Amino acid sequence: MGSGIAQVLAAAGGEVAVFDANPEYARARLHELRRSAREHEDHGLVSRGTAERVKTNIRSSTSVADALSKADLVIEAVPERLNIKTAVWAEIEVHAAEDALLTTNTSSIPIADVARSLSRPYRLVGMHWFYPAVFVPGLEVIPGPATPSSLVARVVEVAARAGKTPTVVKDSPGFVANRLQLALFREAVAIVEDGVAGPEELDAIVRTTIGFRLPFFGPFAMADMAGLDVYRGIFDVLESQLGPGFSAPSLLIEAVDRGDLGAKTGNGLLALDAQGIAKRAASRDASYSALGRLVGRLSQG
Ligand SMILES: NC(=O)c1ccc[n+]([C@@H]2O[C@H](COP(=O)([O-])OP(=O)(O)OC[C@H]3O[C@@H](n4cnc5c(N)ncnc54)[C@H](O)[C@@H]3O)[C@@H](O)[C@H]2O)c1
């Protein structure tokens, strides 16, 4: 992940120093990311001049001290093991500038756990990028324990300047994206193990149905549009046949009991108004139509 993140920041005009414990690997990755930046530009996937900026703005460092000598932003992306991260942060703290932004790209370890060993734990912020960093727009920003909002705002600003769409979430194992992603994966495996569908069929269904809708509508928007009473009815069937893992969540039960059924009653889980509902329905149809054509074109190529 580190090289992809370096590529994004260098493309946005930042000067990036990369340090990796394995210098051979770091050299090979640097070569590869320059090659891929050129290829992206040649194929029109990134703006003109990107490859040149990536080439000139990234250098490889031979020590943590050298990498951090001029750094105002530090992004740690070492393996997802707390003991490795703790050891690396001990070294970073020695060499990082007093006011440098300190971030970790952990994808599941609570920031509080990584921060625990720091002398100033409040300075650590989670900056969770997604693979491939060059093309995935979103990233999660996770304040550590007692991190001042001014520091969080600076991380959000850096991400936005790099062309990303940051969303701040609370510290928790797996944050939002990986908790959701793993819940989906766990159920996918259970479905395959139950013999309901093979892995190929399962992936095809996700891509062409629920996944197809996700670029425009998250789970709450989908529930509001489908109807909360409909969702509750489905939960009831699944609970009776598959067990308590499928009990309807109390948030949903309470909304239905209040008569808030989503778009059809004008009140749901998201803030809705009549104008917004009509606009959303119109943009849904236009978006799905455009996406359907794009997916069709890309799958032919
Ligand atoms: N792979 C992904 O899709 C992805 C996505 C988001 C976040 N992340 C997170 O990014 C981090 C790195 O994941 P990855 O997939 O890039 O792992 P990786 O194993 O591909 O890369 C980790 C790099 O860290 C280097 N390293 C190991 N120990 C080191 C040390 N003490 N000092 C300096 N460098 C050291 C390794 O040589 C390696 O090049 C993890 O926290 C992971 O959870 C990964």
Side-chain angles (χ1 to χ4, degrees):
M1 274 305 283
S3 61
I5 298 168
Q7 192 169 342
V8 173
L9 296 173
E15 284 179 37
V16 184
V18 178
F19 172 74
D20 193 293
N22 180 343
E24 279 304 302
Y25 184 68
R27 251 191 304 279
R29 290 303 306 153
L30 193 55
H31 179 76
E32 171 55 24
L33 78 83
R34 285 175 172 156
R35 190 202 60 74
S36 72
R38 168 57 54 203
E39 191 176 279
H40 293 156
E41 188 173 326
D42 290 346
H43 287 104
L45 308 185
V46 294
S47 62
R48 273 161 109 40
T50 298
E52 188 55 32
R53 285 195 298 281
V54 168
K55 188 173 163 201
T56 51
N57 286 353
I58 306 183
R59 69 183 176 87
S60 191
S61 281
T62 50
S63 67
V64 173
D66 176 65
L68 299 184
S69 59
K70 291 196 286 180
D72 45 26
L73 166 68
V74 180
I75 302 177
E76 167 270 303
V78 300
E80 191 73 344
R81 297 248 304 278
L82 183 56
N83 62 333
I84 300 180
K85 290 194 184 288
T86 300
V88 167
W89 275 104
E91 198 174 356
I92 293 173
E93 264 208 312
V94 172
H95 300 289
E98 270 293 287
D99 61 345
L101 284 178
L102 305 182
T103 73
T104 172
N105 183 43
T106 177
S107 35
S108 61
I109 305 172
I111 306 307
D113 291 354
V114 182
R116 191 157 293 130
S117 61
L118 271 66
S119 59
R120 291 187 290 164
Y122 65 87
R123 292 186 65 204
L124 188 67
V125 179
M127 198 179 193
H128 181 210
W129 299 68
F130 290 80
Y131 180 83
V134 176
F135 297 113
V136 179
L139 60 80
E140 295 176 311
V141 173
I142 310 111
T147 303
S149 55
S150 56
L151 273 185
V152 181
R154 280 173 64 199
V155 174
V156 165
E157 193 197 322
V158 167
R161 266 197 282 137
K164 295 298 172 191
T165 306
T167 302
V168 179
V169 299
K170 275 200 179 147
D171 195 16
S172 175
F175 318 120
V176 172
N178 271 331
R179 188 158 152 192
L180 284 173
Q181 186 161 250
L182 266 64
L184 177 63
F185 182 69
R186 184 183 52 203
E187 203 54 34
V189 170
I191 288 169
V192 169
E193 284 174 349
D194 285 350
V196 179
E200 284 79 12
E201 289 76 27
L202 186 133
D203 274 11
I205 288 167
V206 171
R207 285 190 293 101
T208 56
T209 63
I210 53 176
F212 178 84
R213 300 189 295 216
L214 282 174
F216 304 104
F217 302 105
F220 285 97
M222 282 312 311
D224 277 346
M225 285 195 295
L228 303 186
D229 51 335
V230 176
Y231 262 41
R232 184 171 169 180
I234 297 172
F235 269 114
D236 289 346
V237 172
L238 296 194
E239 182 187 23
S240 67
Q241 313 248 347
L242 297 175
F246 283 94
S247 310
S250 48
L251 182 83
L252 182 72
I253 295 172
E254 285 160 18
V256 173
D257 287 350
R258 275 197 312 272
D260 294 345
L261 307 183
K264 61 183 149 190
T265 60
N267 282 310
L269 301 176
L270 296 178
L272 300 167
D273 62 54
Q275 236 183 356
I277 292 168
K279 253 169 85 182
R280 190 178 291 174
S283 84
R284 176 196 62 202
D285 295 345
S287 307
Y288 287 167
S289 165
L291 181 63
R293 277 178 273 124
L294 178 68
V295 170
R297 188 157 57 75
L298 293 177
S299 34
Q300 275 160 24

